[in-house]
Amino acid sequence: MTTLDATRPAERATKARSAYIAGPVYDWVFFLLPPIASVIVGALVSGTWLATDRFWLAGKRVTWSTLLLGIVVNAHLVAVFVRSHLNPDVFPRHKFRFLVVPIAAFAAMMTSMWAVVIATVLVTFWDVYHSSLQTFGLGRIYERNQGNDPTALRRLDLGLNLLLYAGPIVSGATMLAHFQKFELFEDVDVLFLTEIPTAMLSHQRHIAWAVIAFGGLFLAYYVRSYVRLARRGHAVSFPKVFLLATTGLCSIWAWGWNPFGQAFLIMNLFHAVQYFGLVWWSERRVLLQRLRLQQFRLGAPIAAAVFACVTLGYGALAEITSDGSRALWSLVQTVALMHFFYDGFVWSVRKRQI
């Protein structure tokens, strides 16, 4: 099948379903509006005491905005274990990955400074790739729900999301904040890698123009490909178009210019909200069963409260205490790495796993 193949209209009719994932209200609250809402939050927080007043906590100076964001980010990272380890259909398929790999990663970081440095740098850049895949995945679900072939132009969608996330980072105002992590290689005496931030900074102008040129050509090809596909019967998904457009503009504005000095808050906040929304929508029945609340009238709210308290509790522990202990730090990095790793195969529209 070519990339332009689409499901025939008659076939789509037999697969009719809501264009939304959980429902219009739920989707707009948890999936579609969070990018715009996060920009508004960033604007409101900028310049206030939440972003400017620093205080000491657990041996480091923080602001309320960075502290709260760190808690939410760490909380969403651990939320993947509801899908991976509690879901009785998912866990048996990947026992080795779920049991052996995290133990091996934790042990490596506890015994090797090389593992510590590599994990720190890997988490930084894997996070960018992972974030782009989350938007990509939501877009694929919207394509399927529209009655389209979920594999049609899949690679183009993947390329677009990578461009929208990584492009503004390597060419914009937050580039150095990401690439400075390479300076940690000084701790293992690999000095040539510590020069990467300086090299990136000195060539950033050329990189920016290259990204703009390539990005413009790619967007033109992307739109042309979808127009051709639509003429062959492919139904346009409004939720997907809205999601990609708002996320792309948000990424370009936040990572590229960082106008409020709140790029990390803006981008990580909406990503975490979307992920919480996805996990709850997908795994709420599993949580109800595991907590034995399915027979209770208030079972769902209680399960949601337990889910929020446990994940946010871990988030607070990870954000406040991880820097003071190598064991806790290694645990937090392991959770982050497993979040990125597991998300690559526990959610799949193409394999009908969601």
Side-chain angles (χ1 to χ4, degrees), residues 45 292 354:
V45 166
R292 299 181 180 180
I354 184 172

Side-chain angles (χ1 to χ4, degrees), residues 83-143:
R83 172 75 174 178
S84 61
H85 286 67
L86 297 185
N87 189 307
D89 295 323
V90 175
F91 181 77
R93 289 188 232 148
H94 311 286
K95 285 185 178 180
F96 179 85
R97 300 181 189 183
F98 293 152
L99 298 176
V100 177
V101 175
I103 294 174
F106 177 81
M109 283 181 272
M110 287 295 294
T111 57
S112 169
M113 184 54 64
W114 268 96
V116 168
V117 173
I118 291 173
T120 304
V121 175
L122 184 59
V123 164
T124 300
F125 291 95
W126 201 348
D127 182 37
V128 177
Y129 177 72
H130 156 79
S131 296
S132 69
L133 287 190
Q134 179 169 295
T135 306
F136 164 75
L138 291 173
R140 289 285 94 195
I141 299 175
Y142 283 125
E143 283 283 12

Side-chain angles (χ1 to χ4, degrees), residues 1-33:
M1 182 175 67
T2 67
T3 57
L4 291 178
D5 284 338
T7 306
R8 296 186 183 91
E11 293 174 345
R12 286 204 308 271
T14 64
K15 301 177 183 178
R17 65 172 84 195
S18 170
Y20 293 95
I21 296 173
V25 174
Y26 192 97
D27 279 32
W28 282 103
V29 171
F30 287 100
F31 302 141
L32 300 174
L33 287 179

Side-chain angles (χ1 to χ4, degrees), residues 37-309:
S38 291
V39 171
I40 296 173
V41 170
L44 294 175
V45 166
S46 179
T48 68
W49 60 271
L50 289 169
T52 59
D53 291 357
R54 296 184 177 274
F55 58 95
W56 287 95
L57 182 65
K60 60 182 179 181
R61 293 191 70 195
V62 297
T63 64
W64 280 108
S65 62
T66 56
L67 174 63
L68 294 175
L69 177 64
I71 292 173
V72 171
V73 168
N74 281 295
H76 105 277
L77 291 174
V78 80
V80 70
F81 290 91
V82 176
R83 172 75 174 178
S84 61
H85 286 67
L86 297 185
N87 189 307
D89 295 323
V90 175
F91 181 77
R93 289 188 232 148
H94 311 286
K95 285 185 178 180
F96 179 85
R97 300 181 189 183
F98 293 152
L99 298 176
V100 177
V101 175
I103 294 174
F106 177 81
M109 283 181 272
M110 287 295 294
T111 57
S112 169
M113 184 54 64
W114 268 96
V116 168
V117 173
I118 291 173
T120 304
V121 175
L122 184 59
V123 164
T124 300
F125 291 95
W126 201 348
D127 182 37
V128 177
Y129 177 72
H130 156 79
S131 296
S132 69
L133 287 190
Q134 179 169 295
T135 306
F136 164 75
L138 291 173
R140 289 285 94 195
I141 299 175
Y142 283 125
E143 283 283 12
R144 179 201 64 187
N145 288 2
Q146 196 68 39
N148 296 318
D149 176 3
T151 65
L153 298 186
R154 183 177 182 276
R155 291 183 178 179
L156 268 186
D157 271 357
L158 178 59
L160 177 66
N161 282 282
L162 290 173
L163 174 66
L164 292 177
Y165 273 85
I169 289 176
V170 299
S171 60
T174 60
M175 181 276 292
L176 193 58
H178 286 81
F179 282 87
Q180 277 180 330
K181 296 296 183 181
F182 279 98
E183 293 175 356
L184 293 172
F185 278 99
E186 183 178 359
D187 295 339
V188 290
D189 296 324
V190 184
L191 299 182
F192 75 94
L193 289 178
T194 66
E195 298 175 3
I196 289 178
T198 302
M200 288 294 298
L201 191 61
S202 63
H203 294 91
Q204 189 177 19
R205 182 180 179 183
H206 301 96
I207 294 172
W209 280 112
V211 169
I212 292 171
F214 174 78
L217 292 173
F218 184 90
L219 286 174
Y221 179 72
Y222 180 89
V223 172
R224 177 176 176 271
S225 297
Y226 264 98
V227 168
R228 291 177 62 192
L229 193 63
R231 288 172 178 171
R232 298 179 62 178
H234 187 94
V236 176
S237 168
F238 173 75
K240 176 194 169 184
V241 172
F242 183 89
L243 175 68
L244 293 182
T246 55
T247 302
L249 291 173
C250 181
S251 177
I252 293 169
W253 197 46
W255 290 135
W257 281 279
N258 195 16
F260 311 125
Q262 299 294 328
F264 284 92
L265 183 150
I266 292 169
M267 297 302 294
N268 284 289
L269 180 59
F270 81 74
H271 173 82
V273 170
Q274 289 175 334
Y275 196 80
F276 277 125
L278 180 63
V279 172
W280 176 250
W281 165 75
S282 175
E283 306 303 313
R284 63 189 183 280
R285 291 187 182 85
V286 169
L287 283 170
L288 284 168
Q289 292 170 0
R290 293 292 187 179
L291 296 171
R292 299 181 180 180
L293 294 171
Q294 63 267 39
Q295 303 300 324
F296 293 90
R297 181 180 178 184
L298 297 178
I302 294 172
V306 171
F307 174 54
C309 289

